Protein backbone atom coordinates (compact mmCIF):
# COMPACT_ATOMS: atom_id res chain seq x y z
CA UNK A 1 0.00 0.00 0.00
CA UNK A 2 2.97 2.32 0.38
CA UNK A 3 4.69 2.13 -2.96
CA UNK A 4 4.56 1.61 -6.69
CA UNK A 5 6.05 -1.69 -7.72
CA UNK A 6 8.34 -2.66 -10.58
CA UNK A 7 10.06 -5.90 -9.56
CA UNK A 8 8.93 -9.32 -8.45
CA UNK A 9 5.61 -10.99 -8.97
CA UNK A 10 2.28 -10.34 -7.36
CA UNK A 11 0.64 -13.27 -5.63
CA UNK A 12 -3.08 -12.96 -4.98
CA UNK A 13 -4.78 -15.13 -2.33
CA UNK A 14 -7.78 -15.07 -0.08
CA UNK A 15 -6.93 -15.32 3.62
CA UNK A 16 -9.80 -15.59 6.12
CA UNK A 17 -12.21 -14.24 3.53
CA UNK A 18 -10.06 -11.20 2.66
CA UNK A 19 -8.16 -10.47 -0.53
CA UNK A 20 -4.41 -10.61 0.10
CA UNK A 21 -1.83 -9.40 -2.42
CA UNK A 22 1.89 -10.00 -1.82
CA UNK A 23 4.74 -8.73 -3.97
CA UNK A 24 7.33 -11.51 -3.95
CA UNK A 25 10.84 -10.10 -4.43
CA UNK A 26 14.45 -11.24 -4.34
CA UNK A 27 15.67 -10.08 -0.93
CA UNK A 28 19.29 -9.49 -2.00
CA UNK A 29 18.40 -6.96 -4.69
CA UNK A 30 14.79 -6.30 -5.72
CA UNK A 31 13.51 -5.73 -2.20
CA UNK A 32 16.46 -3.50 -1.32
CA UNK A 33 16.03 -1.39 -4.49
CA UNK A 34 12.78 -0.13 -2.95
CA UNK A 35 14.02 0.42 0.59
CA UNK A 36 13.44 4.07 1.48
CA UNK A 37 15.20 4.31 4.84
CA UNK A 38 17.66 7.12 4.01
CA UNK A 39 18.22 9.90 1.48
CA UNK A 40 19.99 8.74 -1.66
CA UNK A 41 22.01 11.96 -1.66
CA UNK A 42 24.22 10.64 1.16
CA UNK A 43 27.75 9.36 0.52
CA UNK A 44 28.06 6.02 -1.34
CA UNK A 45 29.69 4.36 1.70
CA UNK A 46 26.75 5.41 3.90
CA UNK A 47 24.28 4.10 1.32
CA UNK A 48 26.12 0.77 1.14
CA UNK A 49 26.15 0.49 4.94
CA UNK A 50 22.37 1.06 4.94
CA UNK A 51 21.93 -1.58 2.23
CA UNK A 52 23.84 -4.11 4.35
CA UNK A 53 21.83 -3.23 7.47
CA UNK A 54 18.61 -3.53 5.46
CA UNK A 55 19.71 -6.86 4.01
CA UNK A 56 20.51 -8.15 7.51
CA UNK A 57 17.04 -7.14 8.68
CA UNK A 58 15.32 -8.74 5.68
CA UNK A 59 17.42 -11.90 5.90
CA UNK A 60 16.67 -12.27 9.60
CA UNK A 61 12.95 -11.84 8.90
CA UNK A 62 13.13 -14.37 6.05
CA UNK A 63 14.55 -16.95 8.44
CA UNK A 64 11.41 -16.67 10.58
CA UNK A 65 7.95 -18.02 9.91
CA UNK A 66 5.78 -16.22 7.36
CA UNK A 67 3.09 -14.02 8.89
CA UNK A 68 -0.26 -15.83 8.93
CA UNK A 69 -2.16 -12.57 8.48
CA UNK A 70 -0.49 -11.65 5.18
CA UNK A 71 1.40 -14.81 4.13
CA UNK A 72 4.47 -12.58 3.86
CA UNK A 73 7.93 -12.21 5.39
CA UNK A 74 8.03 -8.41 5.48
CA UNK A 75 5.52 -5.56 5.41
CA UNK A 76 5.92 -2.57 3.12
CA UNK A 77 5.69 -0.11 6.00
CA UNK A 78 7.48 0.66 9.25
CA UNK A 79 6.39 -2.64 10.85
CA UNK A 80 9.35 -3.99 8.89
CA UNK A 81 11.35 -1.38 6.98
CA UNK A 82 10.22 1.66 5.02
CA UNK A 83 9.72 0.00 1.64
CA UNK A 84 8.63 2.49 -1.04
CA UNK A 85 9.17 0.31 -4.12
CA UNK A 86 9.66 2.08 -7.43
CA UNK A 87 9.51 5.50 -5.73
CA UNK A 88 13.00 4.90 -4.35
CA UNK A 89 14.49 3.73 -7.64
CA UNK A 90 12.94 6.53 -9.66
CA UNK A 91 13.52 9.46 -7.29
CA UNK A 92 15.02 12.64 -8.68
CA UNK A 93 15.19 14.12 -12.16
CA UNK A 94 15.94 11.28 -14.57
CA UNK A 95 16.12 9.04 -11.47
CA UNK A 96 19.46 10.62 -10.51
CA UNK A 97 19.01 9.77 -6.81
CA UNK A 98 17.44 6.41 -7.45
CA UNK A 99 20.43 5.43 -9.58
CA UNK A 100 22.75 6.24 -6.67
CA UNK A 101 20.69 4.02 -4.39
CA UNK A 102 20.51 1.06 -6.80
CA UNK A 103 24.26 1.42 -7.43
CA UNK A 104 24.81 1.08 -3.67
CA UNK A 105 22.67 -2.08 -3.62
CA UNK A 106 24.53 -3.51 -6.61
CA UNK A 107 27.93 -2.65 -5.05
CA UNK A 108 27.14 -4.97 -2.11
CA UNK A 109 26.22 -7.96 -4.29
CA UNK A 110 29.16 -10.34 -4.63
CA UNK A 111 27.63 -12.90 -7.03
CA UNK A 112 24.21 -13.83 -8.42
CA UNK A 113 23.54 -15.87 -5.27
CA UNK A 114 25.35 -13.96 -2.50
CA UNK A 115 25.75 -10.47 -1.09
CA UNK A 116 27.39 -8.69 1.81
CA UNK A 117 25.85 -9.07 5.26
CA UNK A 118 27.07 -8.27 8.76
CA UNK A 119 27.96 -11.35 10.81
CA UNK A 120 28.90 -11.75 14.47
CA UNK A 121 30.44 -15.13 15.29
CA UNK A 122 29.07 -16.53 12.01
CA UNK A 123 25.48 -15.41 12.68
CA UNK A 124 23.53 -12.53 11.14
CA UNK A 125 23.85 -9.51 13.40
CA UNK A 126 20.83 -7.47 14.40
CA UNK A 127 21.88 -4.32 12.57
CA UNK A 128 19.53 -1.81 14.18
CA UNK A 129 19.47 1.67 12.74
CA UNK A 130 17.71 4.94 13.38
CA UNK A 131 17.63 8.48 12.04
CA UNK A 132 19.58 10.06 14.88
CA UNK A 133 21.12 9.15 18.20
CA UNK A 134 21.35 12.65 19.60
CA UNK A 135 25.12 12.23 19.84
CA UNK A 136 25.46 8.82 21.49
CA UNK A 137 24.04 5.35 20.88
CA UNK A 138 22.62 3.23 23.71
CA UNK A 139 23.54 -0.13 25.19
CA UNK A 140 21.13 -2.90 24.20
CA UNK A 141 19.97 -3.48 27.79
CA UNK A 142 19.04 0.21 28.09
CA UNK A 143 16.64 -0.16 25.16
CA UNK A 144 15.59 -3.82 25.36
CA UNK A 145 15.86 -6.36 28.14
CA UNK A 146 18.95 -8.28 26.98
CA UNK A 147 22.62 -7.41 26.95
CA UNK A 148 24.09 -7.99 23.49
CA UNK A 149 27.88 -7.88 23.39
CA UNK A 150 28.14 -6.02 20.07
CA UNK A 151 25.41 -3.46 20.87
CA UNK A 152 27.39 -1.14 23.14
CA UNK A 153 27.02 2.60 23.60
CA UNK A 154 29.42 4.70 21.51
CA UNK A 155 29.73 8.41 20.70
CA UNK A 156 27.97 9.40 17.48
CA UNK A 157 29.39 12.76 16.42
CA UNK A 158 28.00 12.27 12.91
CA UNK A 159 24.46 12.70 14.26
CA UNK A 160 25.45 16.01 15.79
CA UNK A 161 27.11 17.27 12.61
CA UNK A 162 24.38 16.20 10.17
CA UNK A 163 23.08 19.23 8.30
CA UNK A 164 19.31 19.38 8.40
CA UNK A 165 19.00 16.76 11.13
CA UNK A 166 16.15 18.05 13.27
CA UNK A 167 16.82 15.30 15.84
CA UNK A 168 20.50 16.05 16.44
CA UNK A 169 19.76 17.28 19.96
CA UNK A 170 17.08 15.94 22.25
CA UNK A 171 15.49 17.38 25.35
Amino acid sequence: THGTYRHGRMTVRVINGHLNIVNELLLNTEYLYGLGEMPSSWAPAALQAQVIAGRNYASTAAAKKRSATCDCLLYDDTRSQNFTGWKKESEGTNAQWGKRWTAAVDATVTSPTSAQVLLVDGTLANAYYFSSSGGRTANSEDVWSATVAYLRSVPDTYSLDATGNSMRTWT
Side-chain angles (χ1 to χ4, degrees):
T1 60
H2 300 278
T4 305
Y5 305 107
R6 175 182 183 191
H7 300 288
R9 65 185 178 122
M10 296 291 189
T11 303
V12 180
R13 295 183 180 96
V14 175
I15 298 177
N16 297 327
H18 299 280
L19 185 63
N20 185 69
I21 303 171
V22 174
N23 186 20
E24 296 187 14
L25 301 164
L26 298 173
L27 289 182
N28 273 345
T29 52
E30 294 173 341
Y31 170 73
L32 294 167
Y33 289 150
L35 194 59
E37 289 285 350
M38 72 186 300
S40 298
S41 59
W42 287 14
L47 298 177
Q48 290 173 28
Q50 180 62 52
V51 168
I52 293 167
R55 183 178 291 120
N56 268 53
Y57 182 91
S59 298
T60 300
K64 296 177 183 173
K65 189 176 178 182
R66 293 174 78 91
S67 168
T69 58
C70 71
D71 191 29
C72 63
L73 298 171
L74 298 160
Y75 294 94
D76 65 349
D77 58 31
T78 54
R79 287 175 287 179
S80 294
Q81 298 183 97
N82 183 26
F83 180 83
T84 61
W86 177 241
K87 288 181 192 177
K88 185 66 174 178
E89 278 186 82
S90 64
E91 69 183 336
T93 304
N94 296 321
Q96 68 180 7
W97 300 116
K99 289 174 185 172
R100 286 175 52 86
W101 176 251
T102 56
V105 173
D106 293 343
T108 66
V109 174
T110 54
S111 79
T113 58
S114 65
Q116 293 176 345
V117 292
L118 180 60
L119 300 175
V120 174
D121 297 328
T123 303
L124 282 173
N126 287 318
Y128 300 108
Y129 52 91
F130 39 84
S131 62
S132 179
S133 70
R136 185 165 193 88
T137 65
N139 289 320
S140 61
E141 66 273 15
D142 296 331
V143 180
W144 303 286
S145 61
T147 299
V148 179
Y150 62 86
L151 296 178
R152 304 289 83 212
S153 176
V154 296
D156 179 17
T157 58
Y158 298 104
S159 270
L160 297 176
D161 296 337
T163 304
N165 181 358
S166 63
M167 301 298 286
R168 70 176 162 229
T169 58
W170 297 358
T171 55

